[in-house]
Amino acid sequence: MNPSEQEQRKKSGPPLAIFDCPPAFAEARHVGRPNIGNRDRFLARLNDILDKRWLTNRGEYVIELERRIAELIGVRNCILVCNGTVGLELLIRALDLRGEVIVPAFTFVATAHALQWQEITPVFADINPDTHCLDPASVESMITPRTSGIIGVHVWGRPCVTGELAEIAARHNLKLMFDAAHAFGCSHEGRMIGSFGEAEVFSFHATKLINTFEGGAIVTNDDRLAEKLRLMQNFGFAGYDRVIYVGTNGKMSEVCAAMGLTNLESMDELIECNRVNYRAYQRQLAGIPGVQLSVYDERHRSNYHYVVATVGDDASLSRDELMEVLHAENVIARRYFFPGVHRMEPYKSYFPHAHLLLPRTEQVCRQVLVLPTGTSVSGEDIARICEVIRVALDNASPVRKRLEELRGPAA
Ligand code: T4K
């Protein structure tokens, strides 16, 4: 295209990067930029670790972080692990789950992989379209004689209906555990998430509210389960030269724990920043037809870590079209957890018809768009992102036509 054609497009189209205007951001705005707490305190801890030459294998920083997390959640035991996925794998094994386990398909693929990795079949149940968490009626309909457990996922930090799931689990003699990867610092019915079911697993991945670079934690009130998990996490060692259990290496290192302690000290400010961002999005997206922000129930404590927009079928552009517009503006919005775990391999091949039983999962996977937030996103950034969304939806016809042009004939 020659410069005069480009100029013409800029003049005739809405002010968007897809019409050759400069993008809203020179540098990308991401979902999941890591929170870095007080850098000086982290570096002081790092120096201390180096001075003491104790780098891993349950050093003092790991012990301290475990103590603080158990205290914060109000549970008897916290076992730090190298990441949330290994935490799930360890807990699944420690609970002796086998055969089939019921999970949502609207989750990060790690929830299902942690089962499949151990040759346990994940059976996908549908979700409540308002909360994006497991629908108990669908869970109950998936129970077979081979079912050994249920894994609820507190998606976006919003709590599962823990009581109803516990009641179903008790009635069918099933184990109940939770993937609480998103839910650190959140509560439900006056209790911190982490204290429900047999045990719960947090993720402290770089993109989470509290990060330990990579990491996670298993929390439980069951002392025997905790003891078993500690053995399994450390190759089954019960003392020097004494292995009494099959185990793996699921340990967290000292430097990771130091990062966790540092971030934990800033947790209240991090949540407040997320809450302010969430409210700003809520105000500025209000009244845009077809776009809804997922609501955090004020009766519970939330970490507001995810800003989740639903682009309804009545919106003037589809979720995917809107995402293309945003990406051109350097706003890297994400369509978590598209296309749904049931449409990822190997599950897609194992259960080619799963989508027929998961109509709400399908709908939510088609509509959800997660927007940038966190300490690296400012109020002005949010205003600009919301303005892009408004302009794009107000100019749906030319935007759609332009996106088709940009995709070219092969698309
Ligand atoms: N269960 C659930 C429900 C989960 O959501 C997760 C993880 C797990 C279990 C497993 O826990 P871990 O084993 O991870 O502890 C990201 C995270 O990697 C993943 O931890 C998280 N869920 C998932 C929801 O999001 P991706 O594939 O989207 O990551 P990526 O690399 O695209 O990063 C997301 C954005 O963050 C990017 O736009 C860039 C930004 N980013 C990322 C990293 C790593 C940074 O700015 N800096 C960074 O260092 O999965």
Side-chain angles (χ1 to χ4, degrees):
M1 189 199 334
N2 64 43
S4 75
E5 278 174 332
Q6 208 167 3
E7 213 33 56
Q8 184 52 35
R9 186 180 336 274
K10 227 188 286 183
K11 280 197 196 122
S12 61
L16 294 170
I18 57 166
F19 290 96
D20 299 322
C21 293
F25 298 96
E27 262 180 47
R29 295 297 185 274
H30 289 280
V31 169
R33 290 298 271 169
N35 291 321
I36 315 282
N38 184 316
R39 190 182 292 239
D40 291 338
R41 286 188 63 81
F42 172 69
L43 291 175
R45 286 179 165 128
L46 180 58
N47 271 324
D48 185 48
I49 290 167
L50 297 178
D51 288 346
K52 288 180 174 149
R53 291 180 190 254
W54 194 280
L55 305 186
T56 186
N57 290 11
R58 217 168 144 64
E60 65 179 70
Y61 285 92
V62 163
I63 291 170
E64 176 65 4
L65 185 56
E66 286 184 344
R67 191 185 64 72
R68 291 217 199 158
I69 290 172
E71 201 176 276
L72 178 83
I73 307 299
V75 286
R76 290 171 59 83
N77 305 282
C78 169
I79 299 113
L80 286 173
V81 285
C82 53
N83 60 58
T85 306
V86 165
L88 290 169
E89 287 169 6
L90 283 166
L91 181 57
I92 287 163
R93 192 176 272 254
L95 288 175
D96 204 20
L97 298 187
R98 52 188 67 217
E100 296 174 0
V101 172
I102 299 173
V103 290
F106 189 71
T107 181
F108 192 59
V109 71
T111 320
H113 277 355
L115 291 163
Q116 191 63 50
W117 192 251
Q118 313 190 59
E119 299 191 1
I120 299 165
T121 305
V123 173
F124 300 117
D126 211 358
I127 54 169
N128 175 325
D130 298 324
T131 65
H132 299 178
C133 293
L134 274 179
D135 167 19
S138 175
V139 169
E140 191 140 29
S141 74
M142 299 293 175
I143 295 172
T144 74
R146 294 190 70 230
T147 309
S148 63
I150 302 168
I151 305 180
V153 182
H154 306 295
V155 178
W156 320 130
R158 296 193 302 186
C160 291
V161 281
T162 51
E164 284 175 67
L165 292 176
E167 191 272 317
I168 293 171
R171 195 148 32 82
H172 294 272
N173 200 19
L174 305 175
K175 299 269 173 57
L176 174 64
M177 59 174 267
F178 291 97
D179 176 341
H182 300 182
F184 195 71
C186 301
S187 75
H188 180 45
E189 291 171 351
R191 273 164 63 184
M192 293 302 280
I193 288 183
S195 60
F196 294 93
E198 318 275 348
E200 306 207 43
V201 180
F202 294 118
S203 166
F204 300 135
H205 180 258
T207 55
K208 297 294 187 288
L209 173 76
I210 297 297
N211 86 79
T212 57
F213 300 111
E214 289 273 1
I218 312 169
V219 283
T220 180
N221 279 315
D222 182 335
D223 294 346
R224 283 181 61 182
L225 181 64
E227 190 50 40
K228 195 169 168 186
L229 284 161
R230 283 204 191 287
L231 287 170
M232 291 172 81
Q233 177 214 33
N234 187 26
F235 312 101
F237 275 109
Y240 292 133
D241 315 323
R242 203 163 76 91
V243 171
I244 60 164
Y245 216 89
V246 64
T248 185
N249 182 353
K251 290 168 281 142
M252 178 179 278
S253 72
E254 286 292 90
V255 69
C256 291
M259 185 65 162
L261 283 165
T262 309
N263 272 314
L264 201 58
E265 285 162 358
S266 301
M267 186 163 101
D268 291 345
E269 292 119 78
L270 298 176
I271 293 180
E272 181 55 15
C273 167
N274 284 346
R275 198 185 62 79
V276 167
N277 284 355
Y278 171 78
R279 292 271 178 256
Y281 272 114
Q282 206 176 32
R283 271 195 314 278
Q284 291 169 61
L285 293 177
I288 299 187
V291 177
Q292 297 285 331
L293 266 204
S294 286
V295 173
Y296 290 102
D297 187 333
E298 297 294 332
R299 288 172 304 168
H300 312 306
R301 249 173 88 164
S302 300
N303 61 24
Y304 300 92
H305 190 61
Y306 292 95
V307 173
V308 183
T310 298
V311 184
D313 294 341
D314 55 335
S316 56
L317 293 172
S318 70
R319 183 273 313 270
D320 288 356
E321 288 167 330
L322 189 57
M323 188 181 71
E324 281 184 71
V325 171
L326 286 166
H327 283 195
E329 303 287 347
N330 255 332
V331 178
I332 314 302
R334 297 290 297 267
R335 46 185 186 176
Y336 290 133
F337 296 103
F338 181 81
V341 178
H342 61 300
R343 288 187 180 272
M344 295 176 177
E345 293 295 0
Y347 315 107
K348 186 168 107 176
S349 299
Y350 291 166
F351 316 110
H353 305 299
H355 60 281
L356 298 174
L357 297 172
L358 304 171
R360 289 157 185 160
T361 301
E362 290 272 299
Q363 177 201 325
V364 173
C365 284
R366 193 174 63 239
Q367 296 182 335
V368 158
L369 194 58
V370 180
L371 299 170
T373 184
T375 42
S376 61
V377 177
S378 69
E380 289 102 76
D381 291 349
I382 292 170
R384 214 177 285 173
I385 293 168
C386 293
E387 184 56 18
V388 168
I389 294 174
R390 188 181 297 278
V391 169
L393 292 169
D394 281 351
N395 293 278
S397 301
V399 164
R400 180 167 294 127
K401 193 157 161 275
R402 178 72 183 136
L403 288 174
E404 280 163 11
E405 259 170 49
L406 287 170
R407 285 189 217 114

